[in-house]
Amino acid sequence: MRRLIFGLFLTQALSAFAQDTQIKITQQQIDNLDIKVAPLTASQQIPLFYAPGKVVVPADREVLISSSQPGLVTQLPVNIGDKIHKGQLLAQLHSPELVGLQQAFLTATSELNLSGQERNRDQKLLQEGVIAQRRWQETQMLHSSKSAKADEARQLLLLAGMSAAEIKSLGQSHKLDNRLTIRAPIDGVVLERLTNLGARLDMQAPLYRIADLSELWLEINIPQERLSGIRLGDSVRLKGSETTAKISLLGQSVNYDNQTVLARAVIDGKAEGLRVGQNVNVQIMQNSAETGFVVPNTAIAQNEGRAYVFVRNQDGFVVTEVTVTGKQEANSLISGPLSGNEQIAIKGAVALKANWLGLGGDE
């Protein structure tokens, strides 16, 4: 019994001694063992878990372009993936209906001009006392009606896709044109083309889907059991990429099929290499009030369930116990009695551990 107690005491003493050991090693030995050191990298983000997501466009930055009148598609000068500018020609149609609207506009404009002449004549006759006040009021009412009709015809041409300059030219030249031009309402990128050259389209038939890609979102499926650990403002990092995002919304409903909650994250800056509709794998990173340090997994040595790193000093390395607070692919986030100015062994930790314990390693 005494031997057993003494053995346990000796084991604990040796363990405590080992944990405080200064590993004395020369620079030549460090070079021979191919031990590499590097400075610590501070971080206040704790890696939590991975979750699937999808790259999407904000709804207010996406536009569906449709035909404002029936017609035959004669031009489709842009293709999927093309960058376009506001006002750029997207499509041209031959539309007999457009000719009808132009004719109605010219007729309404002509009637308005005639009504204007009659109004001016009756105003002069009223001033001379030739006609009664009632006749003048009837003339004014007729002119107002003709003006409203002309304005309505002009609005219909605007809705049909003609510009104000084109309508003005039509009023001056009286030349009918069945070519309907569809132009881009925003700067953006063509995501989808929904018709073909030579197609006969009805009114409001879809032509293109375009979007402004200056801002992209991630829609992330968060397991409902992990939702309580996530807060608005937490960071998101795409696996295998330097792209980051910040969570801006947590959904209020659970998907019945997979029991996940939708989280929205706004991508920081330009989303290089990402495509709308792309499925991605992201890691949720939670902000921490305490500063930790990102180190390669190869820098951490395990012994008796505890984690250690080897801090370089003038005599070799000091064994320093740390706490692993999170993992991110090939790196880990650690905290411990470190100032941030130290250099630690990032390669050769196995050899240092063997030297420290006087063993062949205990991974």
Side-chain angles (χ1 to χ4, degrees):
M1 185 65 178
R2 290 180 179 177
R3 290 181 179 179
L4 178 60
I5 295 174
F6 177 78
L8 290 174
F9 174 81
L10 181 60
T11 299
Q12 293 173 354
L14 289 173
S15 177
F17 173 78
Q19 293 170 13
D20 294 333
T21 296
Q22 162 72 54
I23 301 175
K24 293 186 177 181
I25 184 171
T26 66
Q27 184 61 50
Q28 183 178 356
Q29 291 173 314
I30 291 174
D31 295 337
N32 291 339
L33 292 172
D34 195 24
I35 297 171
K36 304 296 183 184
V37 298
L40 290 169
T41 302
S43 175
Q44 288 186 306
Q45 293 184 332
I46 302 174
L48 296 182
F49 59 90
Y50 285 98
K54 179 179 286 187
V55 181
V56 300
V57 182
D60 62 347
R61 293 175 179 264
E62 188 173 2
V63 179
L64 180 66
I65 307 299
S66 61
S67 171
S68 54
Q69 293 294 317
L72 175 70
V73 180
T74 58
Q75 286 189 42
L76 290 173
V78 297
N79 298 289
I80 296 175
D82 287 353
K83 292 183 178 180
I84 57 175
H85 304 288
K86 184 177 180 179
Q88 182 176 336
L89 177 67
L90 298 181
Q92 189 174 87
L93 285 71
H94 281 179
S95 174
E97 286 78 3
L98 179 62
V99 174
L101 292 177
Q102 292 174 352
Q103 182 63 61
F105 170 74
L106 292 176
T107 300
T109 302
S110 177
E111 291 178 354
L112 177 61
N113 291 336
L114 180 60
S115 174
Q117 293 174 6
E118 292 177 352
R119 179 177 178 272
N120 293 337
R121 182 196 63 191
D122 285 359
Q123 184 179 25
K124 184 177 180 181
L125 292 176
L126 177 66
Q127 292 172 350
E128 295 175 352
V130 177
I131 62 173
Q133 183 71 27
R134 181 179 179 83
R135 166 73 179 274
W136 166 244
Q137 291 175 347
E138 290 175 351
T139 302
Q140 279 189 313
M141 289 178 60
L142 180 62
H143 179 74
S144 296
S145 175
K146 297 296 184 181
S147 178
K149 188 174 181 180
D151 186 62
E152 178 185 357
R154 184 177 185 277
Q155 292 297 324
L156 287 175
L157 287 179
L158 289 171
L159 291 174
M162 291 186 66
S163 66
E166 290 171 335
I167 295 173
K168 182 179 180 181
S169 176
L170 171 65
Q172 294 172 344
S173 66
H174 287 216
K175 291 183 179 180
L176 303 178
D177 190 350
N178 69 348
R179 292 175 298 176
L180 174 63
T181 56
I182 310 295
R183 300 187 181 276
I186 61 171
D187 294 339
V189 174
V190 178
L191 299 182
E192 193 174 0
R193 194 179 75 179
L194 302 168
T195 190
N196 297 307
L197 194 67
R200 294 186 179 275
L201 303 180
D202 296 328
M203 184 180 292
Q204 301 303 319
L207 297 172
Y208 289 99
R209 187 166 67 95
I210 64 176
D212 174 7
L213 303 185
S214 59
E215 180 180 311
L216 292 177
W217 292 350
L218 295 175
E219 290 186 348
I220 307 167
N221 296 319
I222 305 293
Q224 64 167 340
E225 63 271 14
R226 306 300 297 267
L227 191 63
S228 60
I230 300 176
R231 298 186 295 268
L232 295 179
D234 282 350
S235 295
V236 172
R237 184 180 296 276
L238 271 69
K239 185 176 182 180
S241 170
E242 295 299 318
T243 301
T244 59
K246 284 186 173 56
I247 293 179
S248 62
L249 178 139
L250 296 173
Q252 299 300 310
S253 61
V254 178
N255 185 295
Y256 180 81
D257 294 327
N258 56 24
Q259 294 297 291
T260 61
V261 176
L262 181 67
R264 177 190 302 155
V266 179
I267 294 177
D268 300 322
K270 291 186 177 180
E272 299 292 345
L274 294 181
R275 301 291 184 270
V276 176
Q278 178 181 348
N279 291 323
V280 294
N281 200 20
V282 303
Q283 186 171 37
I284 310 298
M285 311 283 291
Q286 189 164 86
N287 296 326
S288 173
E290 298 181 0
T291 300
F293 303 97
V294 178
V295 300
N297 293 335
T298 54
I300 301 174
Q302 301 287 338
N303 184 49
E304 297 182 356
R306 297 180 178 180
Y308 300 87
V309 295
F310 302 99
V311 179
R312 184 75 165 97
N313 65 5
Q314 61 181 1
D315 295 324
F317 292 90
V318 177
V319 182
T320 304
E321 183 177 353
V322 295
T323 301
V324 178
T325 56
K327 287 185 177 293
Q328 181 183 357
E329 299 179 354
N331 297 322
S332 293
L333 186 70
I334 64 171
S335 61
L338 300 166
S339 67
N341 298 319
E342 299 89 348
Q343 289 199 334
I344 64 170
I346 60 171
K347 182 181 178 183
V350 174
L352 289 172
K353 178 181 176 181
N355 185 302
W356 166 41
L357 299 176
L359 304 171
D362 185 22
E363 291 296 306

